[in-house]
Each structure stands twice: as structure tokens, then as C-alpha cells.
Amino acid sequence: MRRVLVAGNWKMNTGREQALELASGLVEQCGEPGTVDVMIAPPFVWLEAVAAVVGGTAVQLAAQNAWCEAPGAFTGEVALEMVAEAGCDTVILGHSERRQLFGDTDELVGRKVAAARLAGLGVILCVGETREQRESDETDAVLTRQLLAGLEAIDGEMAAGLVVAYEPVWAIGTGLVATTDQAESAHAHLRKELALRYNSDVADATRILYGGSVKPDNAADLMGRPNVDGALVGGASLSVESFVAIIKAATGV
Ligand code: PGA
């Protein structure tokens, strides 16, 4: 059985005080190990302070991105070793905002995924189609391309523990959520591709999260589908109340 994972992507939000408040509110309500894995991804600059709050609790910590080279002359970037030392055990890679706004190509995402696994970090690899791609029936092809490029250098052993997030670009931050059928179909497609790339054990063990306007009122339906193993939550992870409501919705599925 795959454990459900609810991860909060804070993006470029929160000041220091709000970050610490969010983290401690979450620890209060979800700090004990439960049936659902809970993770938050604050901005880099708050990672260490948030790590001090969530350390030793069931709330896991992730970075939203990192650079794929060893520490050195890369002005403005953050190395995987650094996010690990700051207390993260996971890094989100290939988020559509990175792909669309910051030039993270399929190839670069693949290099980052490989470097992260070599650095001993867990990875949430994000994939997803734009509205135009969905309308022209390219969804499955885009998902396959992004998934395989992201996993280019990852063998079956390194794929253990990998998490994939299906995030249709048109549903991110828009209030437009994929129907549960659209989500289930994309997740089933990704799992089939994982089985082809590796084997059915890896495909069955890999958690595939849905992301894109997940809210307390749609979370249970989405996560109730057989191939939806949790959620990657943006906007609704910025309040303890709504994030905890989503976690509670996940507990019931
Ligand atoms: P959203 O963002 O929940 O605000 O749509 C999801 C994401 O981008 O991870």
C-alpha cells in the first residue's frame, strides 16, 4: 500500500514570522506520525528556521528547487548539499513555474533529479501539460516526455522512493481543478510509463500526487481515486486551517 502524501508548496510566499507560525501550527495539529505523510516546502531562506520547528516531528521538509552541481561558482543558486544540510530530505524538481519562467528544460530537470538522488535526497518530480497541449490531445505524450527525461539517469534502484506530481499547468493557481477522471487517467498513464521504464514493482511503489487548485472541498474526491496518492498543494497550504483540512480529507480516503 502506498502511503498518502500531502505536500505544501509555499512558493515565493511567507515572511519569516508567517513561515514560523505556519510551521508551528502544523506541528501542533500534525506533528505526531499519522496515516498520512505531511511535508512542507518553504522558501530557501526560511528552511533552517522552519527545520528547527519541524525537526523531530512527523512534518517533513522539502526545498522547492536546487542547482545540480557541487558547491562552487554559481551565483544566486543553492546546492543540493546545502538544502540537505539545512534540514530537507526532499526537493521538488521540474515544477511548471520553474519550467515556464526560469528555463528548466526537460534535460536540466533530468540532471537535477539525478544529482538529487546521488546527494541522498528524495525527489518530487513535477510533470504536467498546458491547456493548449490538453486541447490538442497531447497530454499523455507530454507527460511521457517529461517523465522519461526527468528519469533519464535514474535506474530502478535510484527510483525507489521517488514521488511524481501530476500538475496540469492550466489548473495551477487558477481555481480550475482537473476532474477526478482527468486526474485518474493522467496518473494511470504515468504509472503505466513507470512500469515500462522500470517494472511493476517500481510503478506500484511510486506515489503520484495531484497538484493544481487542490482545496479542502475537492481533496477527498481527488485522493479517493485509485492512482492518486496524495496532493501537492500551493495556495491552500498557506493557511494552517485549509492545509490541515486537506490532510484530514486525505486521512479519510
Ligand atoms: P495551487 O498550486 O494549489 O495554488 O494551484 C499547486 C502547485 O503549483 O504546486
Side-chain angles (χ1 to χ4, degrees):
M1 254 321 261
R2 297 181 290 269
R3 265 177 80 80
V4 173
L5 167 63
V6 178
N9 172 13
W10 295 0
K11 309 193 180 186
M12 198 176 74
N13 292 299
T14 69
R16 184 187 166 87
E17 204 174 316
Q18 190 195 354
L20 295 178
E21 267 173 33
L22 263 176
S24 36
L26 208 53
V27 163
E28 242 166 65
Q29 302 206 44
C30 307
E32 299 291 323
T35 52
V36 170
D37 288 338
V38 176
M39 187 182 284
I40 49 175
F44 285 130
V45 284
W46 314 140
L47 281 175
E48 210 169 357
V50 170
V53 176
V54 302
T57 78
V59 178
Q60 301 167 33
L61 194 63
Q64 299 173 16
N65 178 42
W67 187 239
C68 46
E69 301 287 344
F74 300 98
T75 302
E77 288 295 336
V78 177
L80 288 153
E81 286 84 347
M82 296 170 187
V83 300
E85 196 176 339
C88 295
D89 40 37
T90 301
V91 58
I92 298 172
L93 295 171
H95 190 280
S96 66
E97 284 148 19
R98 300 289 326 165
R99 293 177 189 266
Q100 296 201 315
L101 304 173
F102 303 104
D104 281 19
T105 59
D106 286 347
E107 190 265 332
L108 179 57
V109 173
R111 282 170 57 207
K112 289 184 176 188
V113 172
R117 296 302 287 135
L118 284 173
L121 284 161
V123 168
I124 299 180
L125 168 62
C126 302
V127 297
E129 83 287 1
T130 62
R131 192 204 321 218
E132 294 72 38
Q133 289 165 335
R134 173 163 285 274
E135 283 168 358
S136 51
D137 240 349
E138 291 169 62
T139 299
D140 284 357
V142 169
L143 297 183
T144 301
R145 191 193 75 225
Q146 292 181 346
L147 181 77
L148 295 184
L151 299 177
E152 172 83 32
I154 300 294
D155 63 18
E157 215 172 294
M158 280 167 85
L162 178 86
V163 176
V164 176
Y166 168 59
E167 298 206 308
V169 178
W170 48 272
I172 294 178
T174 57
L176 291 173
V177 63
T179 65
T180 62
D181 282 348
Q182 286 171 327
E184 173 61 19
S185 149
H187 286 225
H189 175 75
L190 287 164
R191 205 176 300 288
K192 186 193 78 193
E193 291 295 337
L194 286 168
L196 290 171
R197 169 77 172 87
Y198 301 107
N199 52 55
S200 57
D201 288 348
V202 169
D204 287 344
T206 302
R207 292 184 288 186
I208 306 179
L209 314 182
Y210 170 80
S213 298
V214 175
K215 305 280 179 253
D217 61 358
N218 59 27
D221 285 347
L222 286 160
M223 289 187 269
R225 299 304 295 259
N227 281 295
V228 181
D229 308 312
L232 182 53
V233 185
S237 71
L238 293 171
S239 117
V240 174
E241 195 189 352
S242 57
F243 194 51
V244 168
I246 292 169
I247 295 162
K248 289 205 170 125
T251 315
V253 300

